[in-house]
Amino acid sequence: MKTLCIKSKIRPLTILFGTILTLASCGEVYDMNGYDWEPDTPPSDSVFNREIQILNLGDNMPKGHLPLDKEDPLFFSLEKFSSVAIAYRSSERWDLSFSGTARSAIGGNNGKRPGFGHGTSSIGAIAVLEAFYEDITEVPEEHLFQQPGYSGLDDQGEFGTPMGQAVYTFFGNFVRESLGQGAPSPEYWHMVYPLNKRLLESFPKATSMYNDIPLRPRTLVIKTASGNYAKIEIESYYKNSLDPLKMIRHRDTPAGCISFRYIVIKAADKRFGFVERGKKLTVNMTTGRTSVSPTN
């Protein structure tokens, strides 16, 4: 155990200052109000008009970026394609937060409304659209954006919302049961599936748990904290697992590692793909590697 030795002749103010320095240097001490101890850097123009894929967000997090517990959110900057330290939760530095069951609850940063970014200049919002990612070519009308934005589980009774981007299977797996192979074994219980094209193609007969309506696609369009736009498809909530048929609740594939793809455009563009795109960029959070696709 380290101790702080201070001579009695030192003034109280000096003692207090020295104590603060010692506390700051021992352990991980964060300013939860988002004090900017590091200068922010502007995003590069190379982020715009290209597809960016993030694999396993939540795994191998940088120091200071990992939430204090499973209920606290992860923060992510779309324009800098990187996670954001939790100390900056009350800042303009992030665009998306992931929390709740398997991090399936998604929030946007709008500093003018109550939320983590409240009191900042952030102007973020979320629109949840019933459409496939590839089919969204324009920014939706302004009245469709929620401020501050929020999206969670889809049509899950009191646990969800009419327009969420994921489904939760509870005790069982109504998604896999649609294959007609009988009741799934317990390792398929309590699964969270994003409502994307790959899921609907893998389980074409799957219906909602509550009303027998066929599952519908969901794509998010985000207004970033700075006012640009991004369309986002959540691909998985399980580490190293993008195929819905192979997703399983196993120790080797823990839930809460989010994979998703997106395209950011500048606010004035209004159309996705209107400007020639750069090559696809993939960021693997587990390995820490960033790669560029050889083709667009």
Side-chain angles (χ1 to χ4, degrees), residues 13-293:
L13 181 60
T14 306
I15 295 175
L16 177 61
F17 181 68
T19 303
I20 292 174
L21 287 179
T22 301
L23 291 176
S25 62
C26 298
E28 297 179 358
V29 180
Y30 305 120
D31 180 354
M32 302 310 292
N33 293 316
Y35 176 73
D36 291 341
W37 71 84
E38 294 180 356
D40 199 9
T41 56
S44 168
D45 281 346
S46 65
V47 72
F48 298 106
N49 298 292
R50 71 189 306 172
E51 183 167 285
I52 298 173
Q53 183 182 42
I54 305 298
L55 300 177
N56 302 333
L57 176 65
D59 187 42
N60 193 28
M61 298 287 285
K63 182 178 180 180
H65 292 221
L66 186 67
L68 301 179
D69 56 47
K70 292 183 179 180
E71 299 304 317
D72 277 352
L74 296 171
F75 296 98
F76 190 83
S77 170
L78 294 168
E79 296 183 0
K80 298 175 185 176
F81 44 92
S82 68
S83 58
V84 176
I86 59 175
Y88 290 115
R89 64 177 62 196
S90 296
S91 76
E92 304 87 352
R93 298 193 181 193
W94 59 274
D95 305 302
L96 288 181
S97 64
F98 297 88
S99 59
T101 303
R103 308 285 184 196
S104 61
I106 298 177
N109 189 350
N110 188 299
K112 299 179 181 179
R113 305 293 179 89
F116 291 119
H118 187 235
T120 71
S121 62
S122 301
I123 54 173
I126 293 180
V128 187
L129 305 181
E130 187 176 317
F132 291 114
Y133 176 85
E134 293 85 353
D135 295 338
I136 296 177
T137 58
E138 297 182 352
V139 173
E141 296 181 9
E142 189 65 27
H143 74 273
L144 295 176
F145 285 90
Q146 305 172 51
Q147 300 173 339
Y150 173 81
S151 180
L153 298 176
D154 181 77
D155 195 23
Q156 300 282 314
E158 63 183 47
F159 296 100
T161 59
M163 285 286 284
Q165 85 290 336
V167 292
Y168 177 54
T169 66
F170 293 93
F171 290 94
N173 192 313
F174 65 92
V175 176
R176 293 194 67 87
E177 287 174 1
S178 68
L179 295 175
Q181 300 174 353
S185 53
E187 62 262 30
Y188 291 107
W189 295 4
H190 300 289
M191 296 285 293
V192 180
Y193 293 106
L195 290 166
N196 56 32
K197 187 174 183 178
R198 197 166 185 177
L199 178 78
L200 272 59
E201 289 179 344
S202 299
F203 302 97
K205 296 182 180 180
T207 61
S208 169
M209 184 175 179
Y210 288 92
N211 53 26
D212 291 329
I213 295 176
L215 295 181
R216 299 152 293 182
R218 295 285 188 264
T219 300
L220 305 174
V221 176
I222 308 294
K223 180 186 288 187
T224 69
S226 62
N228 295 313
Y229 293 97
K231 69 171 182 176
I232 302 177
E233 179 188 73
I234 306 298
E235 296 184 289
S236 175
Y237 294 103
Y238 297 91
K239 182 178 177 179
N240 296 330
S241 184
L242 298 181
D243 185 349
L245 289 167
K246 297 180 180 178
M247 291 177 187
I248 190 171
R249 288 185 68 250
H250 190 275
R251 290 182 179 179
D252 294 335
T253 57
C257 289
I258 312 108
S259 294
F260 55 99
R261 59 174 176 156
Y262 66 96
I263 294 174
V264 183
I265 61 173
K266 293 184 177 180
D269 289 346
K270 295 293 185 180
R271 292 178 61 187
F272 295 100
F274 179 69
V275 179
E276 183 178 356
R277 300 178 184 176
K279 295 181 179 180
K280 179 181 177 180
L281 188 71
T282 298
V283 181
N284 191 318
M285 303 297 287
T286 298
T287 63
R289 296 182 62 183
T290 299
S291 58
V292 178
S293 172

